[in-house]
């Protein structure tokens, strides 16, 4: 990073170009991780102007991802604790869901009506239709769709931060991010709260959007568990390639399985049982100034 001007220019241009906002979020997160808020504030302000323009014409995604990545980067710089950062994506996703439900109310309602029209036929193919359950499902569609969109935005935000941290480690502390990610594990209270939100949220009116949002921290913690086990056992990149390819095709099975593994790991810490007797030093500085 040569300076704030160059960083501001890269962030602004990336956000202004359609579908490149994620790169702007990565660069912004890198600046904040490296320099902190005092030096990164101007990059946030000027870099966010194109995102604000997108929001004013009806697309809040660049602005949400940019500001969310900045918030998570500052939290990680301040606390240096990945479990807390990953957990923070849940409330962040709720905020995203509420903003999207307010700003995209008409498109969400339109999509919900299309799904409502197709639901009876889809459910009848699976067997007898419970009219009460169908009516309740139809009333939950708008907040559920908003929750799914909020979860997607939260995942994009966290991915931007992960890329920024990996980039920072590559520049200033080679191998540092790998160690951090392999150690990522939710604490027991985090696992319990998230799993309760996933299963209890849809049962309570008004809380249905919590369920998809709460899956994001569990998913990333589960992926970190797999990466950590593969690293400890030195299995190479093959199992990880298989995992991510399988996620593309059978995500309906793997997504909940990874979530459950993350929850169990939060209680029993599998990696501590597999950890080798020898170990290297841990350096969490990653070039923070």
């Amino acid at each position: 990073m040569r300076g704030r001007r160059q960083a501001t220019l890269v962030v602004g241009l990336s956000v202004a170009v359609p579908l490149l906002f994620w790169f702007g979020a990565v660069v912004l997160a890198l600046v904040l991780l490296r320099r902190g808020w005092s030096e990164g504030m101007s990059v946030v302000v000027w870099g966010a102007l194109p995102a604000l323009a997108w929001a004013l014409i009806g697309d809040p995604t660049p602005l949400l991802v940019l500001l969310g990545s900045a918030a998570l980067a500052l939290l990680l710089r301040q606390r240096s604790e990945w479990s807390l950062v990953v957990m923070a994506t849940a409330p962040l996703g709720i905020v995203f869901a509420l903003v999207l439900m307010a700003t995209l109310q008409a498109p969400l309602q339109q999509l919900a009506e299309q799904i409502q029209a197709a639901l009876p036929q889809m459910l009848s193919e699976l067997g007898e239709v419970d009219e009460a359950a169908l009516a309740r499902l139809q009333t939950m569609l708008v907040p559920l769709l908003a929750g799914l969109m909020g979860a997607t935005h939260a995942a994009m935000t966290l991915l931007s931060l992960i890329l920024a941290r990996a980039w920072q480690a590559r520049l200033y502390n080679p191998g540092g991010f790998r160690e951090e990610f392999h150690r990522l594990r939710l604490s027991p209270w985090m696992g319990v709260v998230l799993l309760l939100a996933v299963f209890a949220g849809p049962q309570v009116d008004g809380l249905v959007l919590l369920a998809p949002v709460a899956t994001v921290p569990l998913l990333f913690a589960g992926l970190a568990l797999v990466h950590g086990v593969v690293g400890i056992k030195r299995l190479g990149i093959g199992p990880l390639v298989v995992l991510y390819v399988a996620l593309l095709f059978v995500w309906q099975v793997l997504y909940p399985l990874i979530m459950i593994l993350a929850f169990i790991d939060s209680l029993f810490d599998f990696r501590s049982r597999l950890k080798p007797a020898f170990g290297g030093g841990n350096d969490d500085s990653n070039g923070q100034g």
Side-chain angles (χ1 to χ4, degrees):
M1 302 301 296
R2 293 186 178 180
R4 278 179 290 179
R5 286 186 180 180
Q6 291 85 350
T8 302
L9 185 63
V10 171
V11 173
L13 288 177
S14 299
V15 175
V17 176
L19 301 181
L20 268 185
F21 63 89
W22 62 270
F23 185 72
V26 172
V27 175
L28 177 60
L30 175 61
V31 171
L32 292 171
L33 285 171
R34 175 68 175 159
R35 297 298 182 185
W37 175 250
S38 59
E39 294 192 36
M41 180 178 64
S42 61
V43 183
V44 175
V45 172
W46 291 105
L49 288 179
L52 183 60
W54 279 112
L56 290 176
I57 62 176
D59 184 7
T61 295
L63 184 61
L64 293 178
V65 174
L66 201 70
L67 296 181
S69 300
L72 292 183
L74 290 171
L75 178 61
L76 182 59
R77 177 182 168 86
Q78 183 70 27
R79 298 295 296 272
S80 296
E81 188 177 343
W82 270 103
S83 61
L84 189 62
V85 173
V86 170
M87 185 67 182
T89 60
L92 193 63
I94 293 172
V95 172
F96 287 167
L98 294 174
V99 170
L100 291 165
M101 194 156 50
T103 57
L104 302 179
Q105 188 171 11
L108 281 174
Q109 188 63 47
Q110 237 177 8
L111 180 58
E113 289 172 359
Q114 294 174 0
I115 297 174
Q116 284 175 355
L119 265 179
Q121 182 179 354
M122 292 167 56
L123 294 178
S124 63
E125 293 176 357
L126 300 175
E128 187 177 347
V129 179
D130 186 335
E131 295 296 334
L134 177 60
R136 186 169 185 276
L137 181 59
Q138 289 175 333
T139 61
M140 294 192 317
L141 277 176
V142 171
L144 180 61
L145 290 171
L148 288 169
M149 292 181 67
T152 302
H153 283 66
M156 286 192 291
T157 299
L158 186 54
L159 276 172
S160 298
L161 177 63
I162 287 173
L163 289 172
R165 188 64 155 182
W167 190 356
Q168 183 190 25
R170 187 176 182 86
L171 291 172
Y172 305 108
N173 180 27
F177 172 72
R178 181 178 183 273
E179 293 177 9
E180 288 181 358
F181 191 63
H182 285 193
R183 292 197 308 265
L184 168 58
R185 172 179 163 266
L186 298 174
S187 63
W189 73 266
M190 292 177 181
V192 170
V193 168
L194 291 169
L195 202 68
L196 281 175
V198 170
F199 289 105
Q203 311 305 320
V204 181
D205 291 338
L207 297 181
V208 64
L209 63 77
L210 292 179
V213 167
T215 66
V216 176
L218 288 169
L219 173 65
F220 279 88
L223 293 175
L225 169 62
V226 176
H227 277 259
V229 171
V230 169
I232 291 169
K233 294 297 184 180
R234 299 185 180 181
L235 300 177
I237 199 173
L240 298 177
V241 172
V242 171
L243 170 67
Y244 287 108
V245 170
L247 266 175
L248 294 176
F249 296 101
V250 288
W251 62 268
Q252 302 94 328
V253 176
L254 281 182
Y255 200 120
L257 177 60
I258 292 171
M259 286 168 43
I260 294 298
L261 285 174
F263 169 70
I264 298 173
D265 181 58
S266 72
L267 301 178
F268 298 106
D269 193 1
F270 296 137
R271 279 158 290 188
S272 67
R273 303 165 191 270
L274 297 173
K275 197 173 295 183
F278 58 91
N282 294 327
D283 180 8
D284 290 334
S285 64
N286 280 309
Q288 289 183 1

